[in-house]
Every structure is written in C-alpha cells, then in structure tokens.
Amino acid sequence: MLFDETQLPETYSALHFPADEWWKSAVVYQIYPRSFNDANGDGFGDLQGIRSRLGYLKELGVDVLWLSPIYRSPQADNGYDISDYQDIDPVFGTMDDFNELIADVHSLGMKLVMDLVVNHTSDEHPWFIESRSSIDNPKRDWYYWRDPRPGFEGGTPGAEPTNWGSFFSGPVWKYDPHTGQYYLHLFAEKQPDLNWENPEVRQAVYEMMRWWLDRGVDGFRMDVINLISKVPGLPDGTCQPGQDLADGSPFYMEGPRLHEFLQEMHREVFDGRGALFTVGETPGVLLENAPLYSDPARHEVNMIFQFEHVGLGLPEGKFGRRTLEAGDLADSLTRWQEGLAERGWNSLYLCNHDQPRTVSRFGDEKYWYDSATALATILHLLRGTPYIYQGEELGMTNTVFAGIEDFEDIESTNYYRVATEHGDDPERVLEGLRAMGRDNARTPVQWDASDHAGFTTGTPWIAVNPNYPVINASEQVGDPVSVFSYFRALIRLRHHLPVIADGRFERIDAGHREIFAFRRTLGERQLVVIANLSSKDLAPVLPSEISEAVPAFVPVLTNANVWEEMGAPLAPWRARVFLR
C-alpha cells in the first residue's frame, strides 16, 4: 500500500455541502452490538463494550455509528423482534449505559444512528399481547388478523388466508386458536406485522421516534421500510411450478400508501429538527423507483439501501447455485451511479449483518489483502455515502460451519429444515448456507490473537472465525500497509476531496470486463480509479482521452507496494487511484 497524503488539501469536503447535507461527505460504520465487544464476560457484546472501542473507531476515521437493534427483545431474530421500543435489552446493558455511550460518541465528534424496526414487532410486545387477547380488543386492528380460508378449518394445511411464503420459510400466517384467526408475519412467527393502515399505529411509532431523537439520537436506519404498506385485501400470489407457497411481494413491496406514510413520518418526526440522518432499507426496489425515496424535494429519506448488487449471481435464490460473472458487480454499481446522478443519493455497501463477508462474496480469499482493498477502493470512491460493516475494515472473511448445528440464524435454520423436508440434499443445502448465510457476518469482531479473539472473557454466543490469530485488529492498527490502514486512507480521501463526495461519475472502458475503471469530476478536479476485480493478470486498454492526459495525473493511492503507471499491467486485484 502507498498513500500520498501530500496531495490532500487541508480543507474538508463537508464544507462543500450545506450544513443539512453533512451526511454526503460522511462515512458510516455499522455495529452489530452482540458481536462487537463484550465488556462483562457473558459472551454477548454490549454497550459498555462499544464504549471501550470508540477510540478505535475514531482512529479509523468514521463519522456515524449505526447500531443494530439494542431494544428489549426476546431475540428470536437477534433483536429485530422488539418487545419494548423504549428500553434497552438487558443483554446489552441499561439506559444509563446508552446515555453514557451517546455522550461519548458525541464528545468524539461522531454521530449515532439507531436501527428502526417498525414493519413488525415481537409477539411479546404489549401492543400485540393486547391485540391477540380478543377479536374486539381496541388494538386488534393494530396488526393484520384474518379468518381461515373459506371451506377450511383453522390451523389445518391450506387454511391460511393467503398463499404467501415468508422470508424465513413457511407461510406468512400463524393460527391463533384463542380467537380462531390468523395473524400476518412476513418474517418469523414471533414477528407479527404492524397494520400501518391504522392511524393509531402510525402515531404511536412517530411518538416513539421523537422520544429517541429527544434523547440525542442523530437519525434512523429504517428496517425493510418499503414493506409497511400492503395492498388492501391481501390477495393470493401466483405459485411457481412445484412450489406450495407464492411470492406475495407484489402485494406488500412498495404498497399503494408507502410514500404517503414516509412523507407523513417526515412531517411528524423530522421536520424542524435540523440535519438528521435517515436511510431506508428497501429490498426489491428497482432503480427507476429509487428517486421517489431520496429525492430531497419529496421529503422522505436521505438515501436507501438497494439490493440489486448483493443479489447478483444467485439465479436459484439466495442459497442456490452461485454464478457471479466478471463485470457484473461493476455494471450494477454503474447503473445506480448513473441512475441517481441527478435525483436522489446512493448508499454504498457490499456487506452488512444480513450479507456474507465482502472478501468471500465478491473477492478471493487466496488474494485476501488485495481483494479486500480493491473492493474497498471501488466502493469508497463512488458518489454516495459509504458504509463499513464491523470487521470489514480488517478484511474479515466468512467462517467455517461443519454442520447445521453450527448455525444460529433463524433464516438459515428454518431454510435447512424446510428444504430437507422437501427432499433437498442436506449437503447441497449446507453448501449454500455456508456461502451466503447471515451468520458469516455475525461472528465476533477479531480484536487480537488471544482466546476468542479478545471479544469476550467468557464463551461467545457464536464461535469466533478460526482465522482470528492472523486477521485481527491488533495486527493491523499501526501497520501502515494493513487493510485497516487502507480503509483509513480511503476515508481521508473522502473527507478532504469534494470530488469524491460529489463529483460526476463516468465509467471508463479499460478493455476488460474484469477491470472497473471510472473518473470522477468536479470543476477542474478529476480522480481516476482503476481496479482489477479478478484473480488474473490483465493489461488495461485505456481510451485515448485518458491515456493522453496521464501526465497531468499524480498517483495518490494504491494497494501495491510500488507506484505504477496508470496503464501498466494490473496484477490480480490491483487498485490504483490518480488525482488531477
């Protein structure tokens, strides 16, 4: 790695934007609290554990910390099943711990964003406990309740009100014998969907959000927010041949009142509160619809998480055969750069708590350092707000699963059960889970080479990746050529060069689909990025307008150990950045 900091101006990119658009030059770091750092030795990460590592995050240079859910929860889906929106789950600590954490974060000049999960609650939330108590309870209509399908007895196969399949396998309906009706759960049975058609539900959610903002929270990441509006009547979907359950997404993804609800949320919660941070998770959203969310004139959210690129190369579904082709990732990222160039804003991510590790998914573990840094280069130098998932800055990889008993995630265990019950080969099912299962991202952060990677003095809730003696923070912090130091360099580039945060994006054809090359332009300033996203040697063929301008560019960053010419042959996973 080589980084020429002398090319950076002393001013900051944040000054290029209006104060209420500070997030356009920011870098976000996602913390999955139960796997980040354990301060009390019970095997689960906690808020005090996060506090003890804030110096590490400050040294990395990130601006915003996004916490995955820390609310009180039965933990059926690791906190995405909330039983009390206004309390901290004891596994993470107390409200006093949270107050200390947010004070420390702000004192270090960083911001803190909470995960907002309001498509559904836990079935142990007081709202749902009331709702299920009787058909005429005032909160009955806070959730979706339906009678069994006509001609069927409740609780028997086929009696579900609609034929939709759940994200976590099986039907989306759970029978409640106490009232003789079914309730809707797009995810786990313990995650009943809130009925956003009911204005009382919306006002209760908005009140809760205002409560957190009053406590100093700087914004929200909104979980599956594009699912909150359902098509009235919840009609049956179309089953594919050989399938018992249908894809109901046409009736709950981007439903008819979605944007009305998001604009109402903006008015009720965010208006008049200054420059807050809002990002919506939107599975299934297409590029042509993306500006509807993040066009500032519409007053909905700052940006969205789209899923096109993380779904590449999966023609048989998430856990099926994988066929990622050369250039697919670059093509997808290019589409979204060009599609949101004039309206809206991109969230830039390759990994999070629901996705496998970046190096294992899009890189090559045989070229661990080079692929980790090349992928970081192309992501962080695009237009948009980049996100780092905990451990990504260390190049953490997918872990090792011997059998289904090693998996903790409800999505994986449910899928294995249903698939093998339907006759799928267990080893082939496991192969898909090992590659794409969410537990890959949820193994503890690898702090050092001591027992359990320094994550806990107890027994970790999920096994540490066995490569922790080699890949860990202690080995990398202070090492000028580590993955960690490379991420620091990318963050410094973004913080000091407005051309990265706001420059125009232009794809460069470098003669090979495996090479992702692009130019960023802002006024007279230009940045050129060339990265070989493959495990073979390639020689770029640059267009004349670029090659003729080479003398005007100076190299500013590379993951090689020597400076190389812009058009020189590229080793596997080589990345080069030039500035003019």
Side-chain angles (χ1 to χ4, degrees):
M1 167 189 170
L2 293 172
F3 177 37
D4 186 0
E5 294 191 67
T6 65
Q7 300 299 325
L8 302 185
E10 294 183 2
T11 56
Y12 286 89
S13 298
L15 300 176
H16 172 77
F17 297 103
D20 61 352
E21 294 182 351
W22 59 268
W23 38 268
K24 288 188 173 181
S25 62
V27 178
V28 184
Y29 188 95
Q30 182 190 357
I31 293 176
Y32 194 70
R34 67 166 45 216
S35 298
F36 188 69
N37 192 45
D38 173 21
N40 64 8
D42 66 355
F44 294 86
D46 47 44
L47 297 180
Q48 291 297 340
I50 298 171
R51 286 187 70 206
S52 71
R53 300 290 185 178
L54 290 179
Y56 167 88
L57 297 171
K58 183 65 176 178
E59 182 172 0
L60 179 60
V62 296
D63 306 283
V64 181
L65 306 184
W66 151 29
L67 298 186
S68 287
I70 56 173
Y71 314 95
R72 187 176 288 272
S73 165
Q75 303 295 324
D77 186 22
N78 286 5
Y80 284 85
D81 51 313
I82 296 168
S83 57
D84 188 339
Y85 285 107
Q86 292 171 257
D87 196 9
I88 304 298
D89 194 281
V91 75
F92 301 122
T94 66
M95 190 60 74
D96 286 341
D97 293 330
F98 176 81
N99 293 337
E100 292 173 353
L101 173 63
I102 197 168
D104 287 353
V105 169
H106 287 161
S107 72
L108 290 170
M110 296 184 287
K111 298 181 185 293
L112 189 141
V113 168
M114 296 283 279
D115 217 317
L116 182 75
V117 188
V118 290
N119 175 71
H120 47 266
T121 68
S122 167
D123 65 347
E124 298 182 32
H125 194 291
W127 296 346
F128 188 75
I129 292 173
E130 280 195 56
S131 182
R132 79 186 312 173
S133 65
S134 69
I135 289 179
D136 53 6
N137 184 276
K139 284 191 168 58
R140 186 68 170 183
D141 194 38
W142 281 44
Y143 296 83
Y144 287 92
W145 292 94
R146 295 291 186 271
D147 290 327
R149 188 180 293 269
F152 287 81
E153 180 181 350
T156 61
E160 293 83 7
T162 64
N163 62 357
W164 302 353
S166 163
F167 283 100
F168 289 170
S169 303
V172 299
W173 296 99
K174 173 69 174 177
Y175 185 61
D176 178 42
H178 176 66
T179 58
Q181 288 189 320
Y182 287 83
Y183 66 84
L184 178 71
H185 61 90
L186 293 181
F187 293 88
E189 292 180 355
K190 290 183 67 64
Q191 294 171 290
D193 278 48
L194 283 164
N195 178 12
W196 275 69
E197 297 291 323
N198 187 330
E200 293 180 359
V201 169
R202 303 199 301 276
Q203 289 304 317
V205 168
Y206 303 155
E207 181 181 3
M208 173 269 294
M209 295 172 69
R210 291 190 294 264
W211 185 86
W212 280 106
L213 294 176
D214 290 342
R215 301 192 75 87
V217 167
D218 299 295
F220 297 98
R221 175 266 186 185
M222 304 177 188
D223 187 66
V224 294
I225 200 65
N226 63 317
L227 310 187
I228 59 176
S229 173
K230 278 75 169 175
V231 170
L234 310 180
D236 276 340
T238 301
C239 283
Q240 297 300 314
Q243 298 292 319
D244 299 326
L245 296 170
D247 174 11
S249 63
F251 307 111
Y252 59 72
M253 279 187 180
E254 300 186 276
R257 300 186 67 189
L258 170 63
H259 294 288
E260 172 193 341
F261 293 158
L262 290 177
Q263 290 168 7
E264 179 184 73
M265 177 190 290
H266 194 282
R267 291 193 305 272
E268 295 282 336
V269 178
F270 302 120
D271 273 359
R273 285 186 175 264
L276 295 170
F277 181 95
T278 55
V279 54
E281 183 194 33
T282 55
V285 166
L286 301 177
L287 176 58
E288 50 264 35
N289 291 341
L292 298 177
Y293 298 83
S294 58
D295 180 348
R298 292 177 55 82
H299 303 289
E300 296 191 13
V301 295
N302 299 147
M303 66 195 88
I304 62 170
F305 288 128
Q306 54 90 8
F307 282 57
E308 179 183 298
H309 62 304
V310 295
L312 293 170
L314 301 172
E316 298 171 1
K318 181 175 181 179
F319 300 122
R321 179 171 51 93
R322 292 169 299 287
T323 59
L324 187 64
E325 299 291 337
D328 285 355
L329 178 61
D331 287 350
S332 178
L333 294 175
T334 297
R335 274 174 31 81
W336 283 80
Q337 287 288 294
E338 294 172 349
L340 295 183
E342 302 299 329
R343 295 171 59 217
W345 192 252
N346 273 290
S347 294
L348 307 173
Y349 78 101
L350 293 175
C351 178
N352 61 32
H353 64 291
D354 285 336
Q355 301 294 331
R357 288 289 179 179
T358 300
V359 175
S360 304
R361 173 72 167 98
F362 294 109
D364 185 342
E365 292 183 24
K366 295 178 182 177
Y367 293 92
W368 166 73
Y369 173 84
D370 299 294
S371 62
T373 50
L375 289 164
T377 303
I378 58 102
L379 187 79
H380 281 254
L381 300 183
L382 293 173
R383 186 172 185 265
T385 299
Y387 291 73
I388 300 170
Y389 178 68
Q390 62 182 40
E392 187 177 4
E393 76 283 3
L394 303 174
M396 282 181 62
T397 66
N398 280 3
T399 192
V400 177
F401 301 100
I404 191 61
E405 65 278 358
D406 292 336
F407 290 86
E408 298 284 347
D409 177 37
I410 189 172
E411 180 187 41
S412 294
T413 56
N414 278 3
Y415 181 85
Y416 181 86
R417 174 181 52 80
V418 172
T420 54
E421 286 176 354
H422 279 73
D424 289 2
D425 175 37
E427 187 54 38
R428 184 172 181 183
V429 176
L430 281 172
E431 181 185 348
L433 295 176
R434 289 177 182 128
M436 295 296 297
R438 302 193 300 180
D439 282 330
N440 283 301
R442 300 176 181 187
T443 59
V445 172
Q446 295 161 208
W447 295 108
D448 56 43
S450 66
D451 289 347
H452 308 308
F455 163 71
T456 181
T457 57
T459 301
W461 71 274
I462 189 171
V464 175
N465 190 315
N467 65 16
Y468 74 89
V470 177
I471 301 176
N472 64 68
S474 180
E475 288 287 326
Q476 296 192 31
V477 175
D479 178 354
V481 296
S482 65
V483 178
F484 178 87
S485 292
Y486 198 91
F487 269 80
R488 285 191 74 230
L490 288 168
I491 293 170
R492 284 186 57 76
L493 284 173
R494 176 169 290 269
H495 282 169
H496 287 273
L497 295 174
V499 67
I500 295 173
D502 200 33
R504 185 177 75 253
F505 170 90
E506 177 189 359
R507 180 83 175 265
I508 298 172
D509 182 356
H512 303 271
R513 283 187 52 75
E514 295 89 345
I515 298 176
F516 188 18
F518 55 88
R519 175 168 53 183
R520 307 291 312 285
T521 304
L522 185 67
E524 298 299 314
R525 180 72 90 174
Q526 290 190 3
L527 187 90
V528 169
V529 177
I530 302 176
N532 178 5
L533 302 185
S534 79
S535 299
K536 57 186 179 182
D537 295 295
L538 293 171
V541 181
L542 299 176
S544 58
E545 70 166 304
I546 298 295
S547 59
E548 291 170 3
V550 164
F553 285 87
V554 294
V556 65
L557 180 66
T558 179
N559 60 0
N561 56 14
V562 295
W563 294 116
E564 299 168 324
E565 295 292 332
M566 186 183 294
L570 291 158
W573 300 97
R574 178 69 72 241
R576 302 172 184 148
V577 183
F578 298 85
L579 187 64
R580 182 170 80 171

